[in-house]
Amino acid sequence: MPITGRPRNLIHPVRLLQRTLLLLVIALSLGGCASWAERTWLKAPGWSRGVLVGETTAFDPVPFVLLETGETVVLLADKDLDTPALMLVSIGRRGEMLWLKTYPVEIGVPEEPALLWDGETFHLFWIGSQSVFYLPVDREGEPHEAASIVSENYQASEFDVELSPEGRIALWFAGPRHNPGVYAKPAGNLEARSIPIDAKGMRPQLQYTEDGTLHAFWIQHPSGYEREAFLYGAFEYGKIPPIDVQTIHELDVAIAEVLHGPVFTLDEDYGYLLWSEETRTGLSAGAITSFLLSFDAARPEGDWSEGFLRVPVEYNLPFDEFPAGKLPAGERVDLASAQLPTTGRILDYAIDETIGRESIAVFNVQADFLRRKSAWQIGALFVEDGASTSYQLLSFTTRESSNPLVRLDPEENIYLTWLERGGGGRSRVYLATTNSEFRSAVNQIRTADVLQGVAESLFGLASGVVLLPFVLVWILAGIVVIALTWWARKEDQPFLKPGTLFTLALAIGTYWFAKTFMFPDIFRYVPFSAWIPIIPESWEFALRFGVPLLISLIGFYVAMRFTYLVQQRSPIFFMLIFGLVDGVMTLAIYGVIFWGEV
């Protein structure tokens, strides 16, 4: 009986093409909708997911305070509204938004916002039109009074505020680089006249100890721009100059260099400074060198230790328990024992100001991203006894992450905010913590998280398929081998004949050689980790080697299904089908190694 119609195991080419195009359209659409995550996973164990708090147009660290009720209140700035405004956002103990209040800013654009909480009042500070503004707000978010200028007629481009153990505010501010000068308000009296501290000073930083001593740090920037001095002084509460100021470090900064930082903090025994020097011009343009300096807080004029600051550059880090750590931060990388490639490309420092046995500094680090590329991510460095001890890589995003800020609550849980930059001059603000209640609530997998993962994975798969021309090169390599080994087989020869097996084995081997030559990191990349960064470490080995093998087995089965199993004994046709199936699946999953982003 003649065979009519088409075989049941074949799919009509036009219909197959239509289905493929539909899948790509859906994937691209879903991927576009999923470009911002409401909750984003961190790489380091022990942390909650980052919760989306809101958006900001200020590329500054996002300040926040921790209330005794467990709330986290975040201060955002937005200049793109009809009237520039500041916003207070309250986040509950389980990551839910409780309330939001908006405060229009009538003068200037709000920059470098700061926030304090004294148990009864939120104290909002910011810079606008080269002045420091102040606005007190009650617990419900209602202003006590109109915003006022507290820097008088002085030019102000930077400031720091700190709350004493008694709840009194200390405010120091400084002028711009072309008109430096550090000034201070008498502690607890923002209405008093500002007191000059250093006519050449810049970048003041303050920290109180439990006994009420105010520790102040600033840099001295004399005219000529040749040399910077790091100055430190500690004095009793309410007593401003004369104070005993010590020069704890000096460095030469060339005109072509930019100084990032330093940031300053104290623990129980040591003071720490972290900073970076970036070269902007010349043959070394773009070079960044980072430093960590520690000194005896009781004898700042004595010996100090300075060293290069370098952290692991890889994103797949060997996190493990760190018994020596005092902060409950979860698993870390032990810097003393880790043998890993490192980088000193570090910017955007922030450091916790809680006096304790261990301190944590967070910063922007240019880390590896999917092997072939690098991306600015958020890292955390732990320091104790005058030295760095351990490290965590926190963010893992294709977009640039930057401007972190870190705080500890009374139980030493760590809280972190950072920016993930987008288009149009806007950034999204995320909040994450090691607090167990917050972590257990926001780490639960929801339907929205599943849809988000599916959308991002489909978008990544569609992006990889764009590299399809590479597959043709791999297939061509295999077909050339088949053509050159014609002598080893006869025409219309069954699959199990030695000549056919030899030809196809050599062709598939050549195909694999061409594929791994173009994608040398194929066995080092963990499949799907570009979209799902929470893959357990115990799965990584199986995924690295099992997924490429599974792809080839699928390709082999499909090729057999359409050739030798239906008496179509063409090695070239077999190689063509095998290469298309294997190649498309390979590029869909591993194309991110080439792109470096999804």
Side-chain angles (χ1 to χ4, degrees):
M1 173 180 284
I3 298 176
T4 60
R6 60 184 178 87
R8 287 179 298 173
N9 60 341
L10 295 180
I11 298 176
H12 194 276
V14 174
R15 188 170 299 171
L16 177 60
L17 179 61
Q18 290 174 341
R19 293 178 182 177
T20 303
L21 291 176
L22 179 61
L23 175 62
L24 293 181
V25 169
I26 293 173
L28 291 171
S29 301
L30 288 172
C33 294
S35 58
W36 287 110
E38 181 185 351
R39 295 181 181 178
T40 181
W41 291 98
L42 274 64
K43 290 291 287 185
W47 283 80
S48 74
R49 283 194 289 177
V51 173
L52 179 62
V53 175
E55 293 186 352
T56 182
T57 55
F59 292 147
D60 299 307
V62 176
F64 62 95
V65 292
L66 305 171
L67 277 55
E68 62 279 1
T69 59
E71 296 175 53
T72 304
V73 179
V74 182
L75 180 59
L76 306 177
D78 198 325
K79 65 181 180 182
D80 286 349
L81 303 174
D82 294 336
T83 300
L86 293 168
M87 291 166 286
L88 280 181
V89 182
S90 175
I91 305 298
R93 302 171 64 96
R94 300 177 63 82
E96 74 280 15
M97 180 182 291
L98 300 180
W99 52 264
L100 182 150
K101 298 288 184 178
T102 301
Y103 312 100
V105 175
E106 301 295 340
I107 302 177
V109 175
E111 297 177 335
E112 298 190 22
L115 181 63
L116 298 177
W117 167 252
D118 63 8
E120 297 181 355
T121 302
F122 297 104
H123 302 274
L124 283 63
F125 296 86
W126 69 93
I127 287 180
S129 300
Q130 293 189 320
S131 296
V132 180
F133 284 80
Y134 167 64
L135 177 66
V137 174
D138 66 21
R139 192 183 192 98
E140 285 70 42
E142 300 300 326
H144 287 312
E145 58 194 50
S148 60
I149 295 176
V150 292
S151 56
E152 302 163 77
N153 294 323
Y154 295 105
Q155 280 188 326
S157 64
E158 51 202 4
F159 70 95
D160 194 18
V161 288
E162 191 66 40
L163 206 61
S164 74
E166 298 84 7
R168 298 181 181 180
I169 298 173
L171 167 67
W172 289 36
F173 62 91
R177 181 166 181 169
H178 64 272
N179 186 23
V182 173
Y183 303 87
K185 290 289 183 180
N189 190 354
L190 295 176
E191 298 179 355
R193 291 185 59 83
S194 302
I195 300 172
I197 299 296
D198 188 336
K200 299 177 181 178
M202 295 176 60
R203 304 180 189 177
Q205 297 177 57
L206 309 176
Q207 186 172 355
Y208 272 106
T209 48
E210 292 183 356
D211 61 0
T213 300
L214 180 63
H215 299 261
F217 169 83
W218 66 95
I219 66 174
Q220 195 174 72
H221 188 75
S223 59
Y225 306 103
E226 294 92 0
R227 195 165 183 81
E228 307 274 2
F230 296 171
L231 305 181
Y232 165 80
F235 53 96
E236 295 180 11
Y237 178 78
K239 294 184 179 180
I240 294 189
I243 60 177
D244 184 19
V245 176
Q246 302 287 339
T247 300
I248 56 176
H249 189 54
E250 291 184 326
L251 58 86
D252 293 321
V253 179
I255 295 177
E257 291 183 334
V258 175
L259 182 66
H260 297 274
V263 295
F264 161 77
T265 195
L266 297 168
D267 64 17
E268 293 179 340
D269 300 306
Y270 290 89
Y272 301 94
L273 294 172
L274 298 92
W275 75 93
S276 295
E277 300 170 20
E278 180 183 8
T279 303
R280 291 287 179 87
T281 62
L283 297 177
S284 300
I288 300 175
T289 307
S290 302
F291 301 88
L292 169 64
L293 181 148
S294 61
F295 60 92
D296 186 340
R299 297 174 51 254
E301 73 284 358
D303 294 336
W304 46 265
S305 173
E306 178 190 358
F308 292 108
L309 175 59
R310 299 186 66 87
V311 297
V313 72
E314 295 186 352
Y315 69 89
N316 273 330
L317 295 174
F319 288 110
D320 201 354
E321 296 293 335
F322 190 74
K326 307 301 188 300
L327 295 176
E331 296 180 350
R332 317 178 190 177
V333 176
D334 187 344
L335 296 179
S337 59
Q339 300 295 321
L340 298 169
T342 60
T343 180
R345 296 184 62 80
I346 301 171
L347 301 173
D348 297 339
Y349 295 94
I351 197 163
D352 176 67
E353 297 176 350
T354 302
I355 305 295
R357 296 168 296 170
E358 184 180 35
S359 295
I360 176 175
V362 292
F363 41 70
N364 213 202
V365 55
Q366 194 170 39
D368 284 351
F369 186 80
L370 304 180
R371 299 293 181 182
R372 289 294 185 91
K373 301 289 184 179
S374 61
W376 287 100
Q377 307 289 2
I378 305 302
L381 182 75
F382 298 86
V383 292
E384 184 181 5
D385 293 332
S388 57
T389 61
S390 53
Y391 173 74
Q392 291 177 327
L393 179 65
L394 300 181
S395 71
F396 185 72
T397 58
T398 57
R399 299 173 184 270
E400 179 179 343
S401 299
S402 65
N403 298 95
L405 192 69
V406 64
R407 292 285 182 267
L408 301 183
D409 68 11
E411 288 73 39
E412 295 188 321
N413 295 306
I414 308 170
Y415 289 75
L416 172 78
T417 58
W418 76 95
L419 304 182
E420 190 174 322
R421 295 197 182 186
R426 305 188 68 81
S427 299
R428 290 209 170 183
V429 180
Y430 287 94
L431 168 71
T433 177
T434 60
N435 180 285
S436 58
E437 181 180 0
F438 191 107
R439 189 172 70 244
S440 63
V442 304
N443 284 6
Q444 293 179 0
I445 303 298
R446 309 165 302 161
T447 302
D449 300 319
V450 175
L451 294 176
Q452 179 79 23
V454 170
E456 292 184 351
S457 298
L458 288 175
F459 181 66
L461 296 175
S463 301
V465 173
V466 174
L467 297 171
L468 188 59
F470 281 113
V471 178
L472 302 179
V473 177
W474 307 341
I475 295 174
L476 181 61
I479 290 177
V480 169
V481 170
I482 291 175
L484 294 176
T485 57
W486 59 269
W487 50 268
R489 65 185 186 279
K490 297 178 181 180
E491 292 185 9
D492 197 27
Q493 184 171 272
F495 177 77
L496 293 178
K497 290 295 183 179
T500 302
L501 292 176
F502 169 76
T503 295
L504 292 180
L506 190 58
I508 292 174
T510 304
Y511 171 94
W512 259 95
F513 175 82
K515 182 167 71 171
T516 54
F517 179 80
M518 289 187 178
F519 288 88
D521 294 319
I522 194 169
F523 288 113
R524 293 195 292 170
Y525 167 65
V526 179
F528 313 111
S529 63
W531 318 300
I532 311 174
I534 56 167
I535 295 174
E537 186 176 352
S538 58
W539 294 12
E540 291 185 0
F541 180 85
L543 287 172
R544 280 190 180 127
F545 293 93
V547 170
L549 179 60
L550 179 62
I551 289 173
S552 288
L553 289 176
I554 293 173
F556 183 84
Y557 171 78
V558 174
M560 288 291 293
R561 180 77 171 171
F562 288 96
T563 57
Y564 289 94
L565 293 182
V566 292
Q567 303 303 310
Q568 174 58 264
R569 298 171 178 176
S570 170
I572 292 180
F573 192 35
F574 175 96
M575 191 66 222
L576 183 62
I577 296 175
F578 170 83
L580 285 174
V581 175
D582 180 278
V584 170
M585 294 182 67
T586 297
L587 289 176
I589 296 175
Y590 294 92
V592 290
I593 301 177
F594 180 85
W595 289 116
E597 57 184 36
V598 295

